[in-house]
Coordinates of all heavy atoms in Angstrom, one line a residue:
M1 N 18.8 57.0 -38.0 CA 18.2 58.3 -38.3 C 17.4 58.2 -39.6 O 17.8 57.6 -40.6 CB 19.3 59.3 -38.4 CG 18.8 60.8 -38.6 SD 20.1 62.0 -38.6 CE 19.4 63.2 -37.6
S2 N 16.3 58.9 -39.5 CA 15.4 58.9 -40.7 C 16.0 59.6 -42.0 O 16.6 60.6 -41.7 CB 14.1 59.5 -40.3 OG 13.2 59.6 -41.4
Q3 N 15.7 59.1 -43.1 CA 16.2 59.8 -44.3 C 15.2 60.7 -44.9 O 15.3 61.3 -46.0 CB 16.5 58.8 -45.4 CG 17.7 57.8 -45.0 CD 19.0 58.6 -44.8 OE1 19.3 59.1 -43.8 NE2 19.7 58.8 -46.0
E4 N 14.0 61.0 -44.1 CA 13.0 61.9 -44.6 C 13.6 63.3 -44.9 O 14.5 63.7 -44.1 CB 11.9 62.0 -43.6 CG 11.1 60.7 -43.5 CD 9.8 60.8 -42.5 OE1 8.9 61.4 -43.0 OE2 10.1 60.5 -41.5
Q5 N 13.0 64.0 -45.8 CA 13.3 65.4 -46.0 C 12.5 66.4 -45.2 O 11.3 66.5 -45.7 CB 13.4 65.7 -47.6 CG 13.9 67.1 -47.9 CD 15.3 67.3 -47.6 OE1 16.1 66.4 -47.8 NE2 15.6 68.5 -47.1
Y6 N 12.9 66.8 -44.2 CA 12.0 67.7 -43.4 C 12.0 69.1 -44.0 O 13.0 69.6 -44.6 CB 12.5 67.8 -41.9 CG 12.3 66.5 -41.2 CD1 13.1 65.5 -41.2 CD2 11.1 66.4 -40.5 CE1 12.9 64.3 -40.4 CE2 10.7 65.2 -39.8 CZ 11.7 64.2 -39.8 OH 11.5 62.9 -39.2
Q7 N 10.8 69.8 -43.9 CA 10.7 71.1 -44.3 C 10.6 72.1 -43.2 O 10.0 71.8 -42.2 CB 9.4 71.2 -45.3 CG 9.6 70.4 -46.5 CD 8.5 70.5 -47.4 OE1 7.3 71.0 -47.0 NE2 8.6 70.1 -48.6
T8 N 11.0 73.4 -43.5 CA 10.8 74.4 -42.4 C 9.4 74.9 -42.5 O 8.6 74.7 -43.5 CB 11.7 75.5 -42.7 OG1 11.5 76.2 -43.9 CG2 13.3 75.1 -42.6
V9 N 9.0 75.7 -41.6 CA 7.7 76.5 -41.5 C 7.6 77.3 -42.8 O 6.6 77.4 -43.5 CB 7.6 77.4 -40.3 CG1 6.3 78.4 -40.4 CG2 7.4 76.5 -39.0
K10 N 8.7 78.0 -43.2 CA 8.7 78.9 -44.3 C 8.5 78.0 -45.6 O 7.7 78.5 -46.5 CB 10.1 79.5 -44.5 CG 10.1 80.5 -45.6 CD 11.5 81.3 -45.6 CE 11.6 82.2 -46.8 NZ 12.8 83.0 -47.0
D11 N 9.2 76.8 -45.7 CA 9.0 76.0 -46.9 C 7.4 75.6 -47.1 O 6.9 75.7 -48.1 CB 9.7 74.7 -46.8 CG 11.3 75.0 -46.8 OD1 11.7 76.0 -47.4 OD2 12.0 74.1 -46.2
V12 N 6.9 75.2 -45.9 CA 5.4 74.8 -46.0 C 4.5 75.9 -46.4 O 3.5 75.8 -47.1 CB 5.1 74.1 -44.6 CG1 3.5 73.8 -44.6 CG2 5.8 72.8 -44.4
A13 N 4.9 77.0 -45.7 CA 4.0 78.2 -46.0 C 4.0 78.7 -47.5 O 3.0 78.9 -48.0 CB 4.4 79.4 -45.1
E14 N 5.2 78.5 -48.0 CA 5.4 79.0 -49.5 C 4.7 77.8 -50.4 O 3.9 78.2 -51.3 CB 6.9 79.0 -49.9 CG 7.5 80.3 -49.3 CD 9.0 80.3 -49.5 OE1 9.6 79.4 -50.2 OE2 9.6 81.3 -49.2
L15 N 4.8 76.6 -50.0 CA 4.2 75.5 -50.8 C 2.7 75.6 -50.7 O 2.0 75.5 -51.8 CB 4.6 74.2 -50.2 CG 4.0 72.9 -50.8 CD1 4.5 72.7 -52.2 CD2 4.3 71.7 -49.9
L16 N 2.1 75.9 -49.6 CA 0.6 76.0 -49.4 C 0.1 77.4 -49.7 O -1.1 77.6 -49.7 CB 0.2 75.5 -48.1 CG 0.6 74.1 -47.7 CD1 0.2 73.8 -46.3 CD2 0.0 73.1 -48.8
K17 N 1.0 78.4 -50.1 CA 0.5 79.8 -50.3 C -0.3 80.4 -49.1 O -1.3 80.9 -49.3 CB -0.3 79.8 -51.6 CG 0.3 79.2 -52.8 CD 1.4 80.1 -53.3 CE 1.9 79.5 -54.7 NZ 3.1 78.8 -54.8
V18 N 0.2 80.2 -48.0 CA -0.2 80.8 -46.7 C 0.9 81.4 -46.0 O 2.0 81.3 -46.4 CB -0.9 79.7 -45.8 CG1 -2.1 79.1 -46.4 CG2 0.1 78.6 -45.3
S19 N 0.6 82.2 -45.0 CA 1.6 82.9 -44.1 C 2.3 81.9 -43.2 O 1.7 80.9 -42.9 CB 1.1 84.1 -43.4 OG 0.3 83.6 -42.3
E20 N 3.5 82.3 -42.7 CA 4.2 81.4 -41.8 C 3.5 81.4 -40.5 O 3.4 80.5 -39.7 CB 5.6 81.9 -41.5 CG 6.6 81.7 -42.7 CD 8.0 82.4 -42.5 OE1 8.5 82.0 -41.4 OE2 8.5 82.9 -43.3
V21 N 2.7 82.6 -40.1 CA 2.0 82.6 -39.0 C 0.8 81.6 -38.9 O 0.6 80.9 -37.9 CB 1.3 84.1 -38.8 CG1 0.3 84.1 -37.6 CG2 2.5 85.1 -38.6
T22 N 0.3 81.4 -40.1 CA -0.8 80.3 -40.3 C -0.2 79.0 -40.0 O -0.8 78.1 -39.2 CB -1.4 80.4 -41.6 OG1 -2.0 81.7 -41.8 CG2 -2.5 79.4 -41.9
V23 N 0.9 78.6 -40.5 CA 1.6 77.3 -40.4 C 1.9 77.2 -38.8 O 1.6 76.1 -38.3 CB 2.8 77.1 -41.2 CG1 3.5 75.8 -40.9 CG2 2.4 77.2 -42.6
R24 N 2.4 78.2 -38.2 CA 2.8 78.1 -36.8 C 1.5 77.9 -35.9 O 1.5 77.3 -35.0 CB 3.5 79.4 -36.3 CG 4.9 79.4 -36.9 CD 5.7 80.7 -36.5 NE 6.9 80.9 -37.2 CZ 8.0 80.3 -37.2 NH1 8.0 79.2 -36.2 NH2 9.0 80.5 -37.9
R25 N 0.4 78.5 -36.4 CA -0.8 78.4 -35.6 C -1.3 76.9 -35.8 O -1.8 76.2 -34.8 CB -1.9 79.3 -36.1 CG -3.2 79.3 -35.3 CD -4.3 80.2 -35.7 NE -4.9 79.8 -37.0 CZ -4.8 80.5 -38.1 NH1 -4.1 81.6 -38.1 NH2 -5.3 80.1 -39.3
W26 N -1.2 76.3 -37.0 CA -1.6 74.9 -37.2 C -0.7 74.0 -36.2 O -1.3 73.0 -35.7 CB -1.4 74.5 -38.6 CG -2.4 75.1 -39.6 CD1 -3.6 75.6 -39.3 CD2 -2.1 75.3 -40.9 NE1 -4.1 76.1 -40.5 CE2 -3.3 75.9 -41.5 CE3 -1.1 75.0 -41.8 CZ2 -3.4 76.3 -42.9 CZ3 -1.2 75.3 -43.2 CH2 -2.4 75.9 -43.8
I27 N 0.5 74.3 -36.1 CA 1.4 73.5 -35.3 C 1.0 73.7 -33.8 O 0.8 72.7 -33.1 CB 2.9 73.9 -35.5 CG1 3.3 73.6 -36.8 CG2 3.7 73.3 -34.4 CD1 4.6 74.1 -37.3
K28 N 0.8 74.9 -33.3 CA 0.4 75.2 -32.0 C -0.9 74.5 -31.6 O -1.2 74.0 -30.5 CB 0.3 76.7 -31.7 CG -0.1 77.2 -30.4 CD -0.3 78.6 -30.3 CE -0.8 79.0 -29.0 NZ -1.5 80.2 -28.9
D29 N -1.9 74.6 -32.5 CA -3.2 74.0 -32.3 C -3.3 72.5 -32.4 O -4.3 71.9 -32.2 CB -4.3 74.5 -33.3 CG -4.5 76.1 -33.0 OD1 -4.0 76.6 -31.9 OD2 -5.1 76.8 -33.9
G30 N -2.1 71.9 -32.8 CA -2.1 70.4 -32.9 C -2.5 69.9 -34.1 O -2.7 68.7 -34.3
E31 N -2.9 70.7 -35.2 CA -3.4 70.4 -36.4 C -2.4 69.7 -37.3 O -2.6 68.8 -38.1 CB -4.1 71.4 -37.1 CG -5.4 72.0 -36.6 CD -6.0 72.9 -37.2 OE1 -6.4 72.8 -38.5 OE2 -6.2 74.1 -36.7
L32 N -1.2 70.4 -37.3 CA 0.0 69.9 -38.1 C 1.1 69.4 -37.1 O 1.6 70.2 -36.3 CB 0.5 71.1 -38.9 CG 1.7 70.8 -39.8 CD1 1.5 69.7 -40.7 CD2 2.1 72.1 -40.6
R33 N 1.5 68.3 -37.3 CA 2.6 67.7 -36.5 C 3.9 68.2 -36.9 O 4.2 68.3 -38.1 CB 2.5 66.1 -36.6 CG 3.6 65.4 -35.6 CD 3.3 63.9 -35.7 NE 4.2 63.3 -34.8 CZ 5.4 62.8 -35.2 NH1 5.7 62.9 -36.5 NH2 6.2 62.2 -34.3
A34 N 4.8 68.6 -35.9 CA 6.1 69.2 -36.2 C 7.0 68.8 -35.2 O 6.6 68.4 -34.1 CB 6.0 70.7 -36.4
I35 N 8.3 68.9 -35.5 CA 9.4 68.6 -34.6 C 10.2 69.9 -34.3 O 10.6 70.6 -35.3 CB 10.3 67.5 -35.1 CG1 9.5 66.2 -35.3 CG2 11.4 67.2 -34.1 CD1 10.2 65.1 -36.2
D36 N 10.4 70.2 -33.1 CA 11.2 71.4 -32.7 C 12.7 71.0 -32.8 O 13.1 70.2 -31.9 CB 10.8 71.9 -31.4 CG 11.4 73.2 -31.0 OD1 12.1 73.9 -31.9 OD2 11.3 73.6 -29.8
I37 N 13.4 71.5 -33.7 CA 14.8 71.1 -33.8 C 15.6 72.4 -34.0 O 15.3 73.3 -34.9 CB 15.1 70.3 -35.2 CG1 14.3 68.9 -35.0 CG2 16.5 70.0 -35.3 CD1 14.5 68.1 -36.3
G38 N 16.6 72.7 -33.2 CA 17.4 73.7 -33.2 C 16.6 75.1 -33.2 O 16.0 75.4 -32.1
K39 N 16.7 75.8 -34.2 CA 16.2 77.2 -34.2 C 14.7 77.2 -34.7 O 14.1 78.3 -34.7 CB 17.0 78.0 -35.2 CG 18.4 78.3 -34.8 CD 19.1 79.2 -35.7 CE 20.5 79.5 -35.3 NZ 21.2 80.5 -36.2
G40 N 14.1 76.2 -35.0 CA 12.7 76.1 -35.5 C 12.1 74.9 -35.6 O 12.7 73.8 -35.4
W41 N 10.8 74.9 -36.1 CA 10.0 73.7 -36.4 C 10.4 73.1 -37.8 O 10.8 73.7 -38.6 CB 8.6 74.1 -36.4 CG 8.0 74.5 -35.0 CD1 7.8 75.8 -34.7 CD2 7.7 73.7 -34.0 NE1 7.3 75.7 -33.4 CE2 7.3 74.5 -32.9 CE3 7.8 72.3 -33.7 CZ2 6.8 74.0 -31.6 CZ3 7.4 71.8 -32.5 CH2 6.9 72.7 -31.5
R42 N 10.3 71.7 -37.7 CA 10.5 70.9 -39.0 C 9.3 70.1 -39.1 O 8.8 69.5 -38.2 CB 11.8 70.1 -38.9 CG 13.1 71.0 -38.8 CD 13.4 71.8 -40.1 NE 14.6 72.5 -40.0 CZ 14.8 73.7 -39.4 NH1 13.8 74.4 -39.0 NH2 16.0 74.3 -39.4
I43 N 8.8 70.0 -40.4 CA 7.7 69.2 -40.7 C 8.1 68.0 -41.6 O 8.7 68.4 -42.6 CB 6.5 70.0 -41.4 CG1 6.1 71.2 -40.4 CG2 5.4 69.2 -41.8 CD1 6.7 72.5 -40.6
G44 N 7.8 66.9 -41.3 CA 8.1 65.7 -42.1 C 7.1 65.5 -43.3 O 5.9 66.0 -43.1
P45 N 7.4 64.9 -44.3 CA 6.5 64.8 -45.5 C 5.2 64.0 -45.1 O 4.2 64.3 -45.7 CB 7.4 64.2 -46.6 CG 8.6 63.6 -45.9 CD 8.8 64.4 -44.7
G46 N 5.5 63.0 -44.3 CA 4.2 62.2 -44.0 C 3.3 63.0 -43.0 O 2.0 62.8 -43.2
D47 N 3.9 63.8 -42.3 CA 3.0 64.7 -41.4 C 2.3 65.7 -42.2 O 1.1 66.0 -42.0 CB 3.9 65.3 -40.3 CG 4.5 64.4 -39.4 OD1 3.8 63.4 -39.0 OD2 5.6 64.6 -39.0
L48 N 2.9 66.3 -43.2 CA 2.3 67.3 -44.2 C 1.2 66.6 -44.9 O 0.1 67.1 -45.2 CB 3.3 68.0 -45.1 CG 2.8 69.0 -45.9 CD1 2.0 70.2 -45.1 CD2 3.8 69.6 -46.8
D49 N 1.5 65.3 -45.4 CA 0.5 64.6 -46.3 C -0.8 64.3 -45.4 O -1.9 64.4 -45.8 CB 1.0 63.3 -46.8 CG 2.0 63.5 -47.9 OD1 2.1 64.7 -48.5 OD2 2.8 62.6 -48.1
A50 N -0.5 63.9 -44.1 CA -1.7 63.5 -43.2 C -2.5 64.9 -42.9 O -3.7 64.8 -42.9 CB -1.1 63.0 -42.0
F51 N -1.9 66.0 -42.8 CA -2.5 67.3 -42.5 C -3.4 67.6 -43.7 O -4.6 67.9 -43.6 CB -1.5 68.4 -42.3 CG -2.1 69.8 -42.2 CD1 -2.8 70.2 -41.1 CD2 -2.0 70.6 -43.3 CE1 -3.3 71.4 -41.0 CE2 -2.6 71.9 -43.2 CZ -3.2 72.3 -42.1
L52 N -2.9 67.5 -44.9 CA -3.6 67.8 -46.1 C -4.7 66.9 -46.4 O -5.8 67.3 -46.8 CB -2.7 67.9 -47.3 CG -1.6 68.9 -47.4 CD1 -0.7 68.8 -48.5 CD2 -2.2 70.4 -47.4
E53 N -4.5 65.7 -46.1 CA -5.6 64.7 -46.3 C -6.7 64.8 -45.3 O -7.9 64.7 -45.6 CB -5.1 63.3 -46.0 CG -5.8 62.2 -46.8 CD -5.1 60.9 -46.8 OE1 -4.1 60.8 -47.5 OE2 -5.5 59.9 -46.1
G54 N -6.4 65.3 -44.1 CA -7.3 65.6 -43.1 C -8.1 66.8 -43.3 O -9.2 67.0 -42.7
H55 N -7.6 67.6 -44.1 CA -8.4 68.9 -44.4 C -9.0 68.9 -45.9 O -9.5 69.9 -46.3 CB -7.5 70.1 -44.4 CG -7.1 70.4 -42.9 ND1 -6.3 69.7 -42.2 CD2 -7.7 71.4 -42.2 CE1 -6.2 70.3 -41.0 NE2 -7.0 71.3 -40.9
A56 N -9.0 67.7 -46.5 CA -9.6 67.7 -47.9 C -11.1 67.6 -47.7 O -11.6 67.1 -46.6 CB -9.1 66.4 -48.5
T57 N -11.9 68.2 -48.7 CA -13.2 68.2 -48.6 C -14.0 66.9 -48.7 O -15.0 66.6 -48.2 CB -13.9 69.1 -49.6 OG1 -13.5 68.8 -50.9 CG2 -13.5 70.6 -49.4
Q58 N -13.3 65.9 -49.4 CA -13.9 64.6 -49.6 C -12.7 63.7 -50.0 O -11.6 64.2 -50.6 CB -14.9 64.5 -50.6 CG -14.6 65.1 -52.1 CD -15.8 65.1 -52.9 OE1 -16.3 64.1 -53.1 NE2 -16.2 66.3 -53.4
P59 N -12.9 62.5 -49.8 CA -11.7 61.5 -50.2 C -11.5 61.5 -51.6 O -12.4 61.8 -52.4 CB -12.2 60.1 -49.8 CG -13.3 60.5 -48.7 CD -13.9 61.6 -49.2
A60 N -10.3 61.3 -52.0 CA -9.9 61.3 -53.4 C -10.7 60.3 -54.3 O -11.1 60.6 -55.5 CB -8.3 61.1 -53.7
S61 N -11.1 59.2 -53.7 CA -11.8 58.2 -54.5 C -13.2 58.7 -54.8 O -13.8 58.3 -55.8 CB -11.9 56.8 -53.6 OG -12.4 57.1 -52.4
A62 N -13.7 59.5 -54.0 CA -15.0 60.1 -54.2 C -15.0 61.0 -55.3 O -16.0 61.2 -56.1 CB -15.6 60.7 -52.9
V63 N -13.9 61.7 -55.5 CA -13.8 62.8 -56.5 C -13.8 62.1 -57.9 O -14.5 62.5 -58.9 CB -12.5 63.6 -56.4 CG1 -12.3 64.5 -57.5 CG2 -12.6 64.4 -55.1
N64 N -13.2 60.9 -58.0 CA -13.1 60.3 -59.4 C -14.5 59.8 -59.9 O -14.6 59.9 -61.1 CB -12.1 59.0 -59.2 CG -10.7 59.3 -58.9 OD1 -10.3 60.5 -59.2 ND2 -10.0 58.5 -58.3
G65 N -15.3 59.5 -59.0 CA -16.6 59.0 -59.5 C -17.7 60.1 -59.3 O -18.9 59.9 -59.6
A66 N -17.3 61.3 -58.9 CA -18.3 62.4 -58.6 C -19.0 62.8 -59.9 O -20.1 63.3 -59.8 CB -17.6 63.5 -58.0
A67 N -18.5 62.7 -61.0 CA -19.1 63.2 -62.2 C -20.4 62.4 -62.5 O -21.3 62.9 -63.1 CB -18.1 63.2 -63.4
D68 N -20.4 61.2 -62.1 CA -21.6 60.3 -62.4 C -22.7 60.4 -61.4 O -23.8 60.0 -61.6 CB -21.1 58.9 -62.5 CG -20.0 58.6 -63.5 OD1 -20.0 59.4 -64.5 OD2 -19.3 57.7 -63.4
K69 N -22.4 61.1 -60.2 CA -23.4 61.0 -59.1 C -24.0 62.4 -59.1 O -23.2 63.5 -59.1 CB -22.7 60.7 -57.9 CG -22.2 59.3 -57.8 CD -21.4 59.0 -56.6 CE -20.7 57.6 -56.6 NZ -20.0 57.4 -55.4
P70 N -25.3 62.6 -58.9 CA -25.9 64.0 -58.7 C -25.6 64.5 -57.3 O -25.3 63.7 -56.4 CB -27.4 63.6 -58.7 CG -27.5 62.2 -58.5 CD -26.3 61.5 -58.9
R71 N -25.4 65.8 -57.3 CA -25.1 66.5 -56.0 C -26.4 66.9 -55.3 O -27.4 67.2 -56.0 CB -24.2 67.6 -56.3 CG -22.8 67.2 -56.8 CD -21.9 68.4 -57.0 NE -22.5 69.0 -58.2 CZ -22.0 70.1 -58.8 NH1 -21.1 70.8 -58.2 NH2 -22.5 70.6 -59.9
A72 N -26.3 67.2 -54.0 CA -27.5 67.7 -53.4 C -27.7 69.0 -53.9 O -26.9 69.9 -54.3 CB -27.2 67.8 -51.9
G73 N -29.0 69.2 -54.2 CA -29.5 70.5 -54.8 C -29.6 70.6 -56.2 O -30.1 71.5 -56.8
D74 N -28.9 69.5 -56.9 CA -29.1 69.4 -58.4 C -30.4 69.1 -58.8 O -31.1 68.2 -58.1 CB -28.0 68.3 -59.0 CG -26.7 68.8 -58.9 OD1 -26.4 70.0 -58.7 OD2 -25.8 67.9 -59.3
K75 N -30.9 69.7 -59.8 CA -32.3 69.4 -60.4 C -32.2 68.3 -61.3 O -31.3 68.3 -62.1 CB -32.9 70.7 -61.0 CG -33.2 71.7 -60.0 CD -33.8 72.9 -60.7 CE -34.0 74.1 -59.7 NZ -34.6 75.2 -60.4
K76 N -33.3 67.4 -61.3 CA -33.3 66.3 -62.3 C -33.6 66.9 -63.7 O -34.4 67.7 -63.7 CB -34.3 65.2 -61.8 CG -33.9 64.5 -60.6 CD -34.9 63.4 -60.3 CE -34.5 62.7 -59.0 NZ -35.5 61.6 -58.7
E77 N -33.0 66.3 -64.7 CA -33.3 66.8 -66.0 C -34.6 66.2 -66.4 O -35.0 65.0 -66.1 CB -32.3 66.3 -66.9 CG -30.9 67.0 -66.8 CD -30.0 66.4 -67.9 OE1 -30.3 66.1 -69.0 OE2 -28.7 66.4 -67.7
Q78 N -35.5 67.0 -67.0 CA -36.8 66.6 -67.4 C -36.7 66.2 -68.9 O -36.2 66.9 -69.8 CB -37.8 67.6 -67.3 CG -38.1 68.0 -65.9 CD -39.1 69.2 -65.7 OE1 -39.5 69.7 -66.8 NE2 -39.5 69.3 -64.5
K79 N -37.2 64.9 -69.2 CA -37.2 64.5 -70.6 C -38.5 64.9 -71.2 O -39.6 64.7 -70.6 CB -36.9 63.0 -70.7 CG -35.5 62.6 -70.2 CD -35.3 61.1 -70.3 CE -33.9 60.8 -69.7 NZ -33.6 59.3 -69.9
N80 N -38.4 65.4 -72.4 CA -39.7 65.8 -73.2 C -39.9 64.7 -74.2 O -39.3 64.1 -74.9 CB -39.5 67.1 -73.7 CG -39.4 68.2 -72.8 OD1 -40.0 68.0 -71.7 ND2 -38.8 69.2 -73.1

């Protein structure tokens, strides 16, 4: 048996500051992997990490170097 610490829908909702209805919708839509155990759904830490990573706006490695790179729509500085 796995030693992972599974979280309830309520735990995940509180952690992410969303409603339990939202977490249940993510599970129903297949966005968040969960296991139906007993009275409710349980979410493994790896499944939550994968969900969050899949919903990130950009990879973490891109964020580290983002300060050096111009963004779309940025105006070039004019030197006088």
